[in-house]
Amino acid sequence: MYQKPGINIRSRKIVKISESSVLLNFVILCICNNCNYCLQALREKEKGDWRKLSLEEKKALYRASFCQTFSEMTAPTGEWKSIIGLACVFISIGIWLVVLEKLFVYKDLPQSFSEENKKAQLERIIQIRANPIEGISSKYDYEKGQWK
């Protein structure tokens, strides 16, 4: 089985490709274990000439100081998926509550909501001439017996 170069976190093994990558992996392994002992030598070298530092040592110092590269920092996290998922869950719960309320809470409409009763009620309003100035009765012509 092929192993990628780097650190196996579970077994804490270092997979070796070259001597320089082993040094970098050792430094990263020590950083992962919160070991300041490993970084002290690099910090002393850092105070001297930076041209004497290898690329791997510079990368290890950068990792120790900042922990993330810019591309790792700006990489998408996928958090929007959980937000959309939770929003869909809450919307579906709301829809179910409305359906259950219509089935079990609300009763049938009263008889006064039928078309037959609405017509009878309108005729009664016209007969008693309720609100003749601005209401429904003002729009009815009593002499001709029809709507204006």
Side-chain angles (χ1 to χ4, degrees), residues 1-8 13-17 25:
M1 185 171 103
Y2 174 76
Q3 284 187 329
K4 288 184 177 180
I7 303 168
N8 186 343
K13 288 182 187 173
I14 298 175
V15 179
K16 181 176 173 182
I17 286 215
N25 290 336

Side-chain angles (χ1 to χ4, degrees), residues 42 45-46 49-55 57-58 61:
L42 276 178
K45 275 182 143 181
E46 180 185 25
D49 190 13
W50 274 67
R51 286 177 277 184
K52 293 179 182 177
L53 292 173
S54 67
L55 184 63
E57 290 172 334
K58 290 177 186 176
L61 285 169

Side-chain angles (χ1 to χ4, degrees), residues 1 5 12 19 21 23 52 68 72 75 93 101-103 122-123 126 135 144:
M1 185 171 103
R12 300 196 186 276
E19 289 298 323
S21 68
L23 174 66
K52 293 179 182 177
Q68 285 186 332
E72 290 172 343
I93 288 172
E101 278 183 0
K102 284 193 175 203
L103 288 175
L122 183 60
E123 287 174 9
I126 291 171
K144 296 180 182 176

